[in-house]
Amino acid sequence: MRYLTIALAKGRLAEKTMELFSEIGINCEEMKDKKTRKLLFVNEELGLKFFLAKAGDVPTYVEYGAADIGVVGKDTILEEGRKILEVVDLKLGNCRMCVCGPASAKELLKHHEMIRVASKYPHIAKDYFYNKKHQTVEIIKLNGSVELAPIVGLSEVIVDIVETGSTLRENGLEVLEEVCPLSARMVVNNVSMKMENERIMDIIQKLKAVI
Ligand code: PRP
């Protein structure tokens, strides 16, 4: 039996994913050690390997087959646009991708004004404004704390993740339009899905039964 390799997006999502996996008998003792600097973890018994990567890199590892399976947010899947199979909605980390800004920006959106849109997700923002709304905008890529952009005058609106909405509220911003709902998804490499179909389908079916 060859090892199946699973790539997880570092952080809270990886912890929640391992909790979900443990419900279907998939676990990895090595990974529970919070102090470890190891990058690759093995469960010999189950023939599984796990590694933690930056969320944005998970679809890359899966597309190239360095990981057979990945768990990552829908936001990252959409942004990276990799050729991978999205197989299960794990219903973890539920939130929304939204266009946000001050209430005054509503009019600019309504009248399809040429505005500046700041986002950590330039592809998602571009797809939304160009392909769905047919509105020409200037997209500005940022790397975090995107809510700052409309406050300091870098952009009129942002495209960002909204979970509780408290970051928006505390900064005088609001949801102006919803782009799409988000949650963590299990993704699979195209070739692995064919070569290891039985093992991967078994994991998918067990996960679906506990979600
Ligand atoms: C995310 C997101 C928002 C915030 C939304 O940022 O980009 O800023 O969480 O959550 P809320 O609706 O519950 O307030 P994150 O904390 O990941 O960091 P970042 O701003 O540096 O991207």
Side-chain angles (χ1 to χ4, degrees), residues 120 144-145 147 160-167:
K120 267 195 337 191
S145 304
E147 290 84 356
D160 200 18
I161 293 172
V162 179
E163 193 179 351
T164 61
S166 57
T167 310

